[in-house]
Amino acid sequence: MARKPPRRRPEEPGRTKPKKNVLNAQGITEVDYKDVALLRTFLSDRGKIRSRRVTGLTPQQQRQVATAIRNAREMALLPFVTTRR
């Protein structure tokens, strides 16, 4: 009896390609806390740091971005996350 070929999943319309790495595209090796325009791209509208899954960064780059955002917040260049009740 002939063996059936394995079934392939049809392309789901909700699936997207992985995010492009913004830092590699711009040729940035070190993230600076004073570059507020760049750091804002890694913040949500509520001021939270976006996850690696969303940003498409490598783990090392994500740590650099998170540290730079924290430093920029301490220097009052970026807002802290606030909770409202």
Side-chain angles (χ1 to χ4, degrees), residues 39-50:
L39 294 178
R40 280 195 186 275
T41 62
F42 299 108
L43 290 176
S44 70
D45 56 341
R46 294 180 176 249
K48 293 183 176 184
I49 301 174
R50 294 189 189 270

Side-chain angles (χ1 to χ4, degrees), residues 48-63:
K48 293 183 176 184
I49 301 174
R50 294 189 189 270
S51 68
R52 255 191 75 222
R53 183 175 51 85
V54 175
T55 60
L57 299 177
T58 64
Q60 183 181 9
Q61 289 171 333
Q62 183 69 21
R63 283 192 297 271

